[in-house]
Amino acid sequence: MTHGIAITGVALATGFGLSAEDTWRRVARGETAVHAAGRFGGAYVAELTEQDTLWALAQRLPVDDLPPGTGITLGTNGAPETAWLTGFPYAALDPIVAKLGIDGPRAVFGTGCVASANALCHAVDLLRAGRVPAMLVGGIDLLNVTTMATFSSWKALDAAPSGPYSRSGGVNLGEGAAFLLLEADPGDKEVIAYVNGYGMTADAFHITAPPPSGEGLFRAMRQALRDAGVTPAEVDYVNGHGTGTPANDRAELTALRSLFGSGGPPLSSSKPQLGHTLGAAGVVEAAITAFAIRDAELPPTINVDPERMPGWDVVPGTARPAKVDVAVTNSIAFGGANCVLVLGSKPAADPGFPAREVSTVGGAVVPDAEAARGNFPRAYASRVDELGALALAAAHLAWADAGYTAENRPEPEHAGLVFATASGPLATIEELHAAQDRDELHLISPVTAPNIVASVTAGYVSLTLGLKGPLSAVTSGQASEEIALDHATNLLTTGRADVMLVVTADERGPGARARVLRGEPS
């Protein structure tokens, strides 16, 4: 089985423009695309200018000779809202697939700020298993007033250019998009870097804040390094999540110290330069990390406050030369999802994890919101929307049907969740747009507004059942449940979890269904 997966193409759209190489050069020089944007009341953001971004990016990859069976995955959080606004079917990839003639698997992930990293992990599994010869892996998120208002309600936006790991006064958001071309057998093609490992975990701690210990991220990094067959001492560089919010920066630095000790590898964040590109960030930052490996150059962290250094080498100001054979890139999302990638200059060997058989051991159906009442913890009734209530009820009933209780349950770190939805959180989308029409976005609730992100619904299930294994949200229209089951099965057969809960929910449709899958030695 192929283990190290080659990155043979990169396309980037950032506030610097529609050139991956130009973005990389300007990041290395310490420039920033973040500026005060008039359309968002002077908030500091990075903005795209290209309209048909995904298609424009796809054309910049070597897509003319894609082999038959090539697949495509995308990470984005805006697909449900865009579908609601336009009335078009919920299938963000359809135009790209049609134009390129892609006939392999396709999937859209909406796992908050790890969405595109999550999409990349799924693509790696398909490539390693020999189910596809190549995968296009993309990410995109654009900014709108509801996104800005939601972050503003949490007081998470920095009123100045952000300074991760030092000043940590808040986040600057950014628009961004990226595509990577991944191949299991690159032949004689130039390889930029290899994806050698990944780790996915859940915090089961809080919906919008990581645990101060960063233990979920620590576990994801440890899992990713094990998958890549390397030790912490072999890591040359960490591309950090580095949002600039106090909670995220503290948790990430604590997790890094737990893994590496006090003398860990250089760490940097490109978010002060590109903005936090949300669902696109995983692939955008994987591209930056791949270029760091290719060019033997550490990208910088800008806006570092010299009076508030974190006691870690954050490569302040501008890039510097350094050999990078092994690099880690971190992503964290609302709902408590963590996703870590390990990239390298050479392909990793297959560690030979034993394959496992998967069976269904429990299930439940909840037909509507009325039937959901009383079937999940009452304390969360005022926090979740209708989609969340359906998902929670189905999850708790299926968990009980599998025979799991507080005293008899899988180890939390080995039990995960894949949440699937065809149309997304419609009630929350409508509520936020009604507030916009009334010019009352400044009054939205910081408790319920996060429900617009699918990973938050997943996070409530994870939190209430104490699931700390892999956490994903699939937002692929009518194919979501099928993709979620496939994704969960991959995670079980490769030993990333012992038990996976798959929950499908939609407010206007069949309600919710949940299944409990278990992996056992074959």
Side-chain angles (χ1 to χ4, degrees), residues 158-170 172 244 246 249 303-305 308:
D158 199 327
S162 67
Y165 307 130
S166 58
R167 186 170 58 80
S168 297
N172 298 152
D249 287 357
N303 304 333
V304 173
D305 183 346
R308 302 168 73 176

Side-chain angles (χ1 to χ4, degrees), residues 34 44 156-172 242-246 249-250 253 269 271-273 301-306 308-310 314:
V34 172
Y44 282 88
L157 299 177
D158 199 327
S162 67
Y165 307 130
S166 58
R167 186 170 58 80
S168 297
V171 66
N172 298 152
T243 60
T245 63
D249 287 357
R250 278 196 301 267
L253 286 166
S269 169
K271 288 183 173 71
Q273 299 172 275
T301 306
I302 67 167
N303 304 333
V304 173
D305 183 346
R308 302 168 73 176
M309 294 291 284
V314 295

Side-chain angles (χ1 to χ4, degrees), residues 59-149:
Q59 291 177 298
R60 288 175 171 258
L61 291 170
V63 294
D64 292 337
D65 58 349
L66 290 177
T70 294
I72 185 168
T73 58
L74 179 73
T76 183
N77 296 304
E81 189 173 6
T82 300
W84 179 84
L85 285 166
T86 64
F88 288 113
Y90 189 89
L93 286 177
D94 282 356
I96 300 293
V97 168
K99 290 176 179 178
L100 295 180
I102 290 174
D103 58 356
R106 56 185 172 185
V108 180
F109 288 83
T111 324
C113 298
V114 307
S116 61
N118 195 169
L120 194 153
C121 296
H122 182 59
V124 165
D125 281 344
L126 297 179
L127 286 158
R128 284 178 173 176
R131 291 171 56 184
V132 292
M135 290 290 295
L136 284 174
V137 180
I140 185 170
D141 261 333
L142 307 178
L143 299 178
N144 59 27
V145 291
T146 56
T147 301
M148 297 299 294

Side-chain angles (χ1 to χ4, degrees), residues 161-375:
S162 67
Y165 307 130
S166 58
R167 186 170 58 80
S168 297
V171 66
N172 298 152
L173 299 181
E175 296 180 319
F179 266 120
L180 303 180
L181 178 57
L182 304 184
E183 299 187 68
D185 181 8
D188 58 0
K189 292 182 182 178
E190 179 184 355
V191 176
I192 300 167
Y194 292 88
V195 182
N196 285 332
Y198 77 82
M200 294 169 55
T201 64
D203 294 331
F205 173 77
H206 189 277
I207 290 301
T208 58
S213 67
E215 68 90 21
L217 179 61
F218 165 78
R219 286 186 289 109
M221 288 191 289
R222 185 177 59 185
Q223 184 187 115
L225 292 176
R226 177 173 177 261
D227 186 32
V230 296
T231 66
E234 294 175 90
V235 176
D236 301 306
Y237 166 65
V238 177
N239 183 279
H241 185 59
T243 60
T245 63
N248 270 319
D249 287 357
R250 278 196 301 267
E252 185 172 21
L253 286 166
T254 302
L256 289 167
R257 291 186 180 104
S258 297
L259 183 67
F260 295 108
S262 58
L267 160 75
S268 69
S269 169
S270 53
K271 288 183 173 71
Q273 299 172 275
L274 305 176
H276 184 2
T277 55
L278 304 174
V283 172
V284 168
E285 292 163 14
I288 296 297
T289 306
F291 286 141
I293 292 170
R294 182 195 67 181
D295 294 349
E297 197 167 12
L298 301 177
T301 306
I302 67 167
N303 304 333
V304 173
D305 183 346
E307 301 300 319
R308 302 168 73 176
M309 294 291 284
W312 201 282
D313 178 6
V314 295
V315 196
T318 58
R320 71 170 187 257
K323 186 173 176 57
V324 183
D325 286 325
V326 179
V328 168
T329 177
N330 293 336
S331 297
I332 302 171
F334 289 155
N338 305 286
C339 190
V340 174
L341 307 172
V342 176
L343 274 58
S345 61
K346 298 179 177 62
D350 183 356
F353 299 136
R356 301 193 299 173
E357 298 290 335
V358 176
S359 59
T360 301
V361 297
V365 174
V366 177
D368 52 41
E370 183 65 28
R373 292 181 183 176
N375 285 309

